[in-house]
Amino acid sequence: MRAFPMALRHRLLAVLSLMGGLALAGCAGDDGGLQSQKMALIKGRGQLICGVQGTLPGFSSVDRNGRYRGLDVDICRAVAAALLGNPDKVEFRDLNSSERFAALASGEVDLLSRNTTLTLGRDAAGGNGLNFAPIVFYDGQGLMVPKASGITGIEGLNGKAICVETGTTSEMNLADRMRERSIAYTPLKFQTSDQTYAAYLQGRCAAATTDRSQLAAKRTGFPDPEAHVILPDVLSKEPLAPATVNADPLWSDAVRWTVYALLQAEELGITQANVEAKVAKAKGDPNQADLRRFLGIDGELGRQLGLPADFAVQAIKAVGHYGEIFERNVGSGSTLKLERGLNRPWSRGGLHYAPPFR
Amino acid sequence: MTATPWWRHRRLLPLLIQAAAGLAILVVIAFLLGNLVRNLTAAGLLLSWRWLSMPAGFDVAETLLPFNAELPYWRALLAGLVNTLRVVVLALVGATALGTVVGTAAFSSNGLLRRLARTYVELIRNVPLLLQLLFWYFVVFLSLPNGAEAIQLPGLVLAKKGLYLGHTTLVNGVWQGTLRLTLEFSALLTALVIHSAAFIAEVVRGGVASVPRGQWEAARSLGLGHRQTLSRIVLPQALRVIVPGLNSQYIALAKNSSLAVACGYSDLYSVAETTLNQTGRAVEVMLVLLGAYLTIDLLISALMNRLNQLVQIQER
């Protein structure tokens, strides 16, 4: 008779425990009715994890005190304030353009607020399968050239090299526009925006291309910003919007309506400074039904979203209304000094429009 | 005498246990694959290859195969693969030549040469390749002057617009040559050659050191010079030790070529990254990448194993 070999028994045990572990870890749980897994996870963690660009002044960058600032950053803070009641309960993760969708899909970040263009392919389940919140910035792709080059239009780039960040819509727009105009060019693709602009500044490319707001933002960090001009040609529509994954529609709704609340607040003239006074006033005036609903005094709009009743108040208290966010980060109150243009509310000739809060 | 019961059978039992273990592993694999497919289906990401034949819609900077944005994704990936192979093959040749020279220089009778070789190896080996690549591209190549101020060597002009080889002429401030290499390609090639050569030099040095001292002395006493001793007596014997070590260096070089994306060279990885972002087919693109690099490395291994057989002592 031969004893059951010891080593073999150990090996079997190992295999069995491995199987057990995988069976537990590998199975995805089913969604439990109306409960949002993502929101439960964020509340349990007590912190929202937000994917941002991280090196783009005006949209998301770190200031000298180590604090994230920018339009994209404020959207993260507004969502954190709406859901958790505290705009500082956000952990920011820097993502490059090729990492961003994988980071969102794998759940590494809860929310992607990273100057991302809304496109059909990115929205569709058969494409990247994202769920986009309302557009927070209407942009268009542009080209930046050194002033000294004397290039004044896109035709001047015939036969030249153009620096572009890989994995962006800019890459495809550039190919389309150049093909339409039969302009020969060499696309030089870099993985990060820092590498892209380093190559441009070293004179490897005659032009750099990306969204016009980004070009303006990056230019503020150049050794001599005055030496570079953004050409008048607009190559594309670039509506930038925050995104969540398709799998959790309740979470997507919460983000969507938090952004709408910021747009609605501008329309209603509710600012970071006067929001408390507006709440006090609305509480004493039962005739202001719209305002009372929006501020969470009446009705259950917040509860329907799975958010606190005063989610809009919390978001506005944290970052102000959309107009304030814009002016502070990229408009007159910033170094970028971008015109509001299409980013005005609809009532003043722009494109921002929030559906009714009812 | 009673027959042994089957659960105590000396030959049957191990077979049964092996079969059970094999079955268990198959079950685990089936479970994992099933889980993968189920989760991918739930996320709407079930494997699909239709995107391969759709128009790519983006341009690739430099290609050996003709390519434009109207051609399908698989052509873009193929163009990227050819670009990868181009830089890998040239870097293999360059790194082997430089590595052999540096490795044998460690045995030179010239003290300065010996120390130079050591310094080179220690300096290059201990700095990350990505850093070296960025240095070559952004600091060295992108700082080259243009036009008439370009660095001119016999048969080679180094300018910001590229490297011009062969017969070079300056026409209206723009250089023309028999062969033009882009800065991105040149930077990647330089970084790969310099980096890999340091490791190959160590493999060569180890191989040469493994040849018994008596062989050197015997060659000397026959009247052979240093160079002849090295090329006729020592290196052929050292090859037995060198070739297996070279194999892993070559494989590492092929994989390191994917750092191209940092300096704007359109290699397979760079094209795949654009493809991934535009199609959203992450799993499929990753599978293509895995397959491509695995094939390249297995090919290198197969060739090196064949070479290894050739240089071993033939037993009679």
Side-chain angles (χ1 to χ4, degrees), chain B residues 220-246:
Chain B
R220 287 279 157 75
S221 55
L222 286 174
L224 297 178
H226 181 76
R227 193 167 300 174
Q228 275 176 318
T229 310
L230 206 55
S231 62
R232 304 259 159 141
I233 310 293
V234 179
L235 273 182
Q237 299 184 69
L239 271 180
R240 283 169 211 145
V241 179
I242 292 173
V243 170
L246 275 188

PDB file of all heavy atoms in Angstrom, chain B residues 220-246:
ATOM      1  N   ARG B 220      48.625  32.729 -28.236  1.00  0.00           N
ATOM      2  CA  ARG B 220      49.771  33.634 -28.229  1.00  0.00           C
ATOM      3  C   ARG B 220      51.045  32.874 -28.607  1.00  0.00           C
ATOM      4  O   ARG B 220      51.841  33.345 -29.411  1.00  0.00           O
ATOM      5  CB  ARG B 220      49.963  34.242 -26.835  1.00  0.00           C
ATOM      6  CG  ARG B 220      48.946  35.273 -26.460  1.00  0.00           C
ATOM      7  CD  ARG B 220      49.280  36.654 -27.064  1.00  0.00           C
ATOM      8  NE  ARG B 220      48.076  37.462 -27.156  1.00  0.00           N
ATOM      9  CZ  ARG B 220      47.492  38.044 -26.120  1.00  0.00           C
ATOM     10  NH1 ARG B 220      48.025  37.924 -24.926  1.00  0.00           N
ATOM     11  NH2 ARG B 220      46.403  38.735 -26.275  1.00  0.00           N
ATOM     12  N   SER B 221      51.173  31.710 -28.001  1.00  0.00           N
ATOM     13  CA  SER B 221      52.423  30.976 -28.230  1.00  0.00           C
ATOM     14  C   SER B 221      52.519  30.468 -29.658  1.00  0.00           C
ATOM     15  O   SER B 221      53.594  30.135 -30.139  1.00  0.00           O
ATOM     16  CB  SER B 221      52.564  29.830 -27.226  1.00  0.00           C
ATOM     17  OG  SER B 221      51.427  29.017 -27.302  1.00  0.00           O
ATOM     18  N   LEU B 222      51.364  30.400 -30.342  1.00  0.00           N
ATOM     19  CA  LEU B 222      51.398  30.033 -31.762  1.00  0.00           C
ATOM     20  C   LEU B 222      51.716  31.239 -32.637  1.00  0.00           C
ATOM     21  O   LEU B 222      51.774  31.142 -33.853  1.00  0.00           O
ATOM     22  CB  LEU B 222      50.056  29.449 -32.191  1.00  0.00           C
ATOM     23  CG  LEU B 222      49.780  28.025 -31.703  1.00  0.00           C
ATOM     24  CD1 LEU B 222      48.366  27.628 -32.063  1.00  0.00           C
ATOM     25  CD2 LEU B 222      50.771  27.051 -32.319  1.00  0.00           C
ATOM     26  N   GLY B 223      51.813  32.420 -31.987  1.00  0.00           N
ATOM     27  CA  GLY B 223      52.193  33.604 -32.740  1.00  0.00           C
ATOM     28  C   GLY B 223      51.014  34.433 -33.237  1.00  0.00           C
ATOM     29  O   GLY B 223      51.172  35.311 -34.073  1.00  0.00           O
ATOM     30  N   LEU B 224      49.793  34.169 -32.731  1.00  0.00           N
ATOM     31  CA  LEU B 224      48.641  34.968 -33.164  1.00  0.00           C
ATOM     32  C   LEU B 224      48.602  36.281 -32.393  1.00  0.00           C
ATOM     33  O   LEU B 224      48.930  36.311 -31.203  1.00  0.00           O
ATOM     34  CB  LEU B 224      47.344  34.200 -32.910  1.00  0.00           C
ATOM     35  CG  LEU B 224      47.169  32.889 -33.688  1.00  0.00           C
ATOM     36  CD1 LEU B 224      45.866  32.217 -33.309  1.00  0.00           C
ATOM     37  CD2 LEU B 224      47.204  33.145 -35.186  1.00  0.00           C
ATOM     38  N   GLY B 225      48.165  37.352 -33.071  1.00  0.00           N
ATOM     39  CA  GLY B 225      48.035  38.649 -32.421  1.00  0.00           C
ATOM     40  C   GLY B 225      46.756  38.703 -31.594  1.00  0.00           C
ATOM     41  O   GLY B 225      45.969  37.760 -31.587  1.00  0.00           O
ATOM     42  N   HIS B 226      46.522  39.869 -30.921  1.00  0.00           N
ATOM     43  CA  HIS B 226      45.358  39.997 -30.044  1.00  0.00           C
ATOM     44  C   HIS B 226      44.054  39.825 -30.818  1.00  0.00           C
ATOM     45  O   HIS B 226      43.162  39.088 -30.425  1.00  0.00           O
ATOM     46  CB  HIS B 226      45.373  41.375 -29.365  1.00  0.00           C
ATOM     47  CG  HIS B 226      44.228  41.580 -28.420  1.00  0.00           C
ATOM     48  ND1 HIS B 226      44.180  41.004 -27.178  1.00  0.00           N
ATOM     49  CD2 HIS B 226      43.066  42.271 -28.559  1.00  0.00           C
ATOM     50  CE1 HIS B 226      43.052  41.342 -26.584  1.00  0.00           C
ATOM     51  NE2 HIS B 226      42.352  42.115 -27.408  1.00  0.00           N
ATOM     52  N   ARG B 227      43.976  40.521 -31.966  1.00  0.00           N
ATOM     53  CA  ARG B 227      42.742  40.496 -32.737  1.00  0.00           C
ATOM     54  C   ARG B 227      42.464  39.092 -33.270  1.00  0.00           C
ATOM     55  O   ARG B 227      41.336  38.602 -33.196  1.00  0.00           O
ATOM     56  CB  ARG B 227      42.837  41.498 -33.887  1.00  0.00           C
ATOM     57  CG  ARG B 227      41.504  41.761 -34.551  1.00  0.00           C
ATOM     58  CD  ARG B 227      41.555  42.946 -35.453  1.00  0.00           C
ATOM     59  NE  ARG B 227      41.911  44.170 -34.732  1.00  0.00           N
ATOM     60  CZ  ARG B 227      42.126  45.338 -35.324  1.00  0.00           C
ATOM     61  NH1 ARG B 227      42.045  45.439 -36.630  1.00  0.00           N
ATOM     62  NH2 ARG B 227      42.444  46.399 -34.629  1.00  0.00           N
ATOM     63  N   GLN B 228      43.516  38.454 -33.774  1.00  0.00           N
ATOM     64  CA  GLN B 228      43.343  37.102 -34.329  1.00  0.00           C
ATOM     65  C   GLN B 228      42.952  36.113 -33.240  1.00  0.00           C
ATOM     66  O   GLN B 228      42.078  35.274 -33.440  1.00  0.00           O
ATOM     67  CB  GLN B 228      44.637  36.641 -34.991  1.00  0.00           C
ATOM     68  CG  GLN B 228      44.755  37.131 -36.422  1.00  0.00           C
ATOM     69  CD  GLN B 228      46.085  36.740 -37.008  1.00  0.00           C
ATOM     70  OE1 GLN B 228      47.116  36.844 -36.338  1.00  0.00           O
ATOM     71  NE2 GLN B 228      46.056  36.278 -38.252  1.00  0.00           N
ATOM     72  N   THR B 229      43.602  36.243 -32.066  1.00  0.00           N
ATOM     73  CA  THR B 229      43.276  35.362 -30.944  1.00  0.00           C
ATOM     74  C   THR B 229      41.786  35.467 -30.630  1.00  0.00           C
ATOM     75  O   THR B 229      41.087  34.468 -30.469  1.00  0.00           O
ATOM     76  CB  THR B 229      44.072  35.769 -29.691  1.00  0.00           C
ATOM     77  OG1 THR B 229      45.431  35.895 -30.049  1.00  0.00           O
ATOM     78  CG2 THR B 229      43.908  34.756 -28.586  1.00  0.00           C
ATOM     79  N   LEU B 230      41.346  36.726 -30.587  1.00  0.00           N
ATOM     80  CA  LEU B 230      39.952  36.980 -30.234  1.00  0.00           C
ATOM     81  C   LEU B 230      39.003  36.394 -31.274  1.00  0.00           C
ATOM     82  O   LEU B 230      38.068  35.655 -30.958  1.00  0.00           O
ATOM     83  CB  LEU B 230      39.749  38.497 -30.117  1.00  0.00           C
ATOM     84  CG  LEU B 230      38.624  38.973 -29.205  1.00  0.00           C
ATOM     85  CD1 LEU B 230      38.780  38.391 -27.812  1.00  0.00           C
ATOM     86  CD2 LEU B 230      38.643  40.492 -29.146  1.00  0.00           C
ATOM     87  N   SER B 231      39.240  36.707 -32.562  1.00  0.00           N
ATOM     88  CA  SER B 231      38.269  36.329 -33.581  1.00  0.00           C
ATOM     89  C   SER B 231      38.356  34.854 -33.971  1.00  0.00           C
ATOM     90  O   SER B 231      37.355  34.255 -34.340  1.00  0.00           O
ATOM     91  CB  SER B 231      38.440  37.218 -34.824  1.00  0.00           C
ATOM     92  OG  SER B 231      39.730  37.006 -35.349  1.00  0.00           O
ATOM     93  N   ARG B 232      39.586  34.265 -33.890  1.00  0.00           N
ATOM     94  CA  ARG B 232      39.724  32.873 -34.371  1.00  0.00           C
ATOM     95  C   ARG B 232      39.616  31.839 -33.257  1.00  0.00           C
ATOM     96  O   ARG B 232      39.170  30.726 -33.479  1.00  0.00           O
ATOM     97  CB  ARG B 232      41.089  32.689 -35.037  1.00  0.00           C
ATOM     98  CG  ARG B 232      41.344  33.650 -36.161  1.00  0.00           C
ATOM     99  CD  ARG B 232      41.111  32.972 -37.460  1.00  0.00           C
ATOM    100  NE  ARG B 232      40.867  33.933 -38.486  1.00  0.00           N
ATOM    101  CZ  ARG B 232      41.338  33.802 -39.709  1.00  0.00           C
ATOM    102  NH1 ARG B 232      42.070  32.762 -40.018  1.00  0.00           N
ATOM    103  NH2 ARG B 232      41.049  34.690 -40.619  1.00  0.00           N
ATOM    104  N   ILE B 233      40.086  32.199 -32.071  1.00  0.00           N
ATOM    105  CA  ILE B 233      40.165  31.203 -30.999  1.00  0.00           C
ATOM    106  C   ILE B 233      39.108  31.428 -29.923  1.00  0.00           C
ATOM    107  O   ILE B 233      38.324  30.535 -29.597  1.00  0.00           O
ATOM    108  CB  ILE B 233      41.566  31.225 -30.319  1.00  0.00           C
ATOM    109  CG1 ILE B 233      42.663  31.159 -31.366  1.00  0.00           C
ATOM    110  CG2 ILE B 233      41.672  30.122 -29.277  1.00  0.00           C
ATOM    111  CD1 ILE B 233      42.742  29.846 -32.123  1.00  0.00           C
ATOM    112  N   VAL B 234      39.058  32.680 -29.400  1.00  0.00           N
ATOM    113  CA  VAL B 234      38.239  32.909 -28.205  1.00  0.00           C
ATOM    114  C   VAL B 234      36.745  33.052 -28.530  1.00  0.00           C
ATOM    115  O   VAL B 234      35.914  32.339 -27.971  1.00  0.00           O
ATOM    116  CB  VAL B 234      38.757  34.141 -27.432  1.00  0.00           C
ATOM    117  CG1 VAL B 234      37.900  34.396 -26.209  1.00  0.00           C
ATOM    118  CG2 VAL B 234      40.206  33.898 -27.016  1.00  0.00           C
ATOM    119  N   LEU B 235      36.407  33.958 -29.465  1.00  0.00           N
ATOM    120  CA  LEU B 235      34.989  34.215 -29.744  1.00  0.00           C
ATOM    121  C   LEU B 235      34.219  32.962 -30.179  1.00  0.00           C
ATOM    122  O   LEU B 235      33.111  32.729 -29.706  1.00  0.00           O
ATOM    123  CB  LEU B 235      34.829  35.344 -30.758  1.00  0.00           C
ATOM    124  CG  LEU B 235      34.804  36.765 -30.156  1.00  0.00           C
ATOM    125  CD1 LEU B 235      34.588  37.802 -31.248  1.00  0.00           C
ATOM    126  CD2 LEU B 235      33.750  36.909 -29.073  1.00  0.00           C
ATOM    127  N   PRO B 236      34.782  32.142 -31.089  1.00  0.00           N
ATOM    128  CA  PRO B 236      34.020  30.936 -31.471  1.00  0.00           C
ATOM    129  C   PRO B 236      33.667  30.057 -30.271  1.00  0.00           C
ATOM    130  O   PRO B 236      32.582  29.484 -30.216  1.00  0.00           O
ATOM    131  CB  PRO B 236      34.971  30.206 -32.412  1.00  0.00           C
ATOM    132  CG  PRO B 236      35.850  31.260 -32.963  1.00  0.00           C
ATOM    133  CD  PRO B 236      36.016  32.259 -31.870  1.00  0.00           C
ATOM    134  N   GLN B 237      34.578  29.972 -29.296  1.00  0.00           N
ATOM    135  CA  GLN B 237      34.282  29.163 -28.110  1.00  0.00           C
ATOM    136  C   GLN B 237      33.327  29.897 -27.175  1.00  0.00           C
ATOM    137  O   GLN B 237      32.469  29.289 -26.536  1.00  0.00           O
ATOM    138  CB  GLN B 237      35.575  28.841 -27.357  1.00  0.00           C
ATOM    139  CG  GLN B 237      36.545  28.046 -28.193  1.00  0.00           C
ATOM    140  CD  GLN B 237      37.768  27.668 -27.373  1.00  0.00           C
ATOM    141  OE1 GLN B 237      37.682  26.866 -26.457  1.00  0.00           O
ATOM    142  NE2 GLN B 237      38.901  28.249 -27.718  1.00  0.00           N
ATOM    143  N   ALA B 238      33.493  31.227 -27.134  1.00  0.00           N
ATOM    144  CA  ALA B 238      32.646  32.017 -26.238  1.00  0.00           C
ATOM    145  C   ALA B 238      31.186  32.003 -26.703  1.00  0.00           C
ATOM    146  O   ALA B 238      30.274  32.132 -25.898  1.00  0.00           O
ATOM    147  CB  ALA B 238      33.153  33.452 -26.172  1.00  0.00           C
ATOM    148  N   LEU B 239      30.979  31.834 -28.017  1.00  0.00           N
ATOM    149  CA  LEU B 239      29.620  31.876 -28.569  1.00  0.00           C
ATOM    150  C   LEU B 239      28.673  30.909 -27.865  1.00  0.00           C
ATOM    151  O   LEU B 239      27.489  31.187 -27.729  1.00  0.00           O
ATOM    152  CB  LEU B 239      29.649  31.550 -30.065  1.00  0.00           C
ATOM    153  CG  LEU B 239      29.835  32.740 -31.003  1.00  0.00           C
ATOM    154  CD1 LEU B 239      29.853  32.285 -32.440  1.00  0.00           C
ATOM    155  CD2 LEU B 239      28.769  33.788 -30.778  1.00  0.00           C
ATOM    156  N   ARG B 240      29.222  29.757 -27.415  1.00  0.00           N
ATOM    157  CA  ARG B 240      28.375  28.761 -26.744  1.00  0.00           C
ATOM    158  C   ARG B 240      27.723  29.341 -25.499  1.00  0.00           C
ATOM    159  O   ARG B 240      26.618  28.995 -25.144  1.00  0.00           O
ATOM    160  CB  ARG B 240      29.218  27.565 -26.324  1.00  0.00           C
ATOM    161  CG  ARG B 240      29.545  26.668 -27.463  1.00  0.00           C
ATOM    162  CD  ARG B 240      30.595  25.658 -27.077  1.00  0.00           C
ATOM    163  NE  ARG B 240      31.379  25.349 -28.243  1.00  0.00           N
ATOM    164  CZ  ARG B 240      32.670  25.084 -28.229  1.00  0.00           C
ATOM    165  NH1 ARG B 240      33.319  25.087 -27.088  1.00  0.00           N
ATOM    166  NH2 ARG B 240      33.302  24.820 -29.339  1.00  0.00           N
ATOM    167  N   VAL B 241      28.455  30.236 -24.842  1.00  0.00           N
ATOM    168  CA  VAL B 241      27.913  30.859 -23.632  1.00  0.00           C
ATOM    169  C   VAL B 241      27.103  32.104 -23.993  1.00  0.00           C
ATOM    170  O   VAL B 241      26.105  32.427 -23.356  1.00  0.00           O
ATOM    171  CB  VAL B 241      29.062  31.222 -22.672  1.00  0.00           C
ATOM    172  CG1 VAL B 241      28.533  31.890 -21.419  1.00  0.00           C
ATOM    173  CG2 VAL B 241      29.849  29.975 -22.330  1.00  0.00           C
ATOM    174  N   ILE B 242      27.544  32.778 -25.072  1.00  0.00           N
ATOM    175  CA  ILE B 242      26.925  34.064 -25.421  1.00  0.00           C
ATOM    176  C   ILE B 242      25.514  33.892 -25.984  1.00  0.00           C
ATOM    177  O   ILE B 242      24.589  34.605 -25.598  1.00  0.00           O
ATOM    178  CB  ILE B 242      27.816  34.824 -26.436  1.00  0.00           C
ATOM    179  CG1 ILE B 242      29.112  35.263 -25.757  1.00  0.00           C
ATOM    180  CG2 ILE B 242      27.090  36.025 -27.011  1.00  0.00           C
ATOM    181  CD1 ILE B 242      30.124  35.870 -26.692  1.00  0.00           C
ATOM    182  N   VAL B 243      25.338  32.929 -26.894  1.00  0.00           N
ATOM    183  CA  VAL B 243      24.076  32.852 -27.639  1.00  0.00           C
ATOM    184  C   VAL B 243      22.830  32.724 -26.751  1.00  0.00           C
ATOM    185  O   VAL B 243      21.867  33.469 -26.939  1.00  0.00           O
ATOM    186  CB  VAL B 243      24.141  31.732 -28.703  1.00  0.00           C
ATOM    187  CG1 VAL B 243      22.774  31.472 -29.305  1.00  0.00           C
ATOM    188  CG2 VAL B 243      25.118  32.139 -29.795  1.00  0.00           C
ATOM    189  N   PRO B 244      22.824  31.810 -25.736  1.00  0.00           N
ATOM    190  CA  PRO B 244      21.619  31.748 -24.909  1.00  0.00           C
ATOM    191  C   PRO B 244      21.324  33.071 -24.199  1.00  0.00           C
ATOM    192  O   PRO B 244      20.167  33.473 -24.083  1.00  0.00           O
ATOM    193  CB  PRO B 244      21.929  30.646 -23.900  1.00  0.00           C
ATOM    194  CG  PRO B 244      23.004  29.838 -24.529  1.00  0.00           C
ATOM    195  CD  PRO B 244      23.809  30.789 -25.344  1.00  0.00           C
ATOM    196  N   GLY B 245      22.371  33.763 -23.760  1.00  0.00           N
ATOM    197  CA  GLY B 245      22.178  35.045 -23.088  1.00  0.00           C
ATOM    198  C   GLY B 245      21.653  36.107 -24.040  1.00  0.00           C
ATOM    199  O   GLY B 245      20.825  36.944 -23.673  1.00  0.00           O
ATOM    200  N   LEU B 246      22.137  36.065 -25.286  1.00  0.00           N
ATOM    201  CA  LEU B 246      21.687  37.028 -26.298  1.00  0.00           C
ATOM    202  C   LEU B 246      20.195  36.906 -26.548  1.00  0.00           C
ATOM    203  O   LEU B 246      19.507  37.903 -26.750  1.00  0.00           O
ATOM    204  CB  LEU B 246      22.415  36.779 -27.621  1.00  0.00           C
ATOM    205  CG  LEU B 246      23.777  37.427 -27.805  1.00  0.00           C
ATOM    206  CD1 LEU B 246      24.236  37.226 -29.236  1.00  0.00           C
ATOM    207  CD2 LEU B 246      23.703  38.911 -27.502  1.00  0.00           C
TER     208      LEU B 246
END
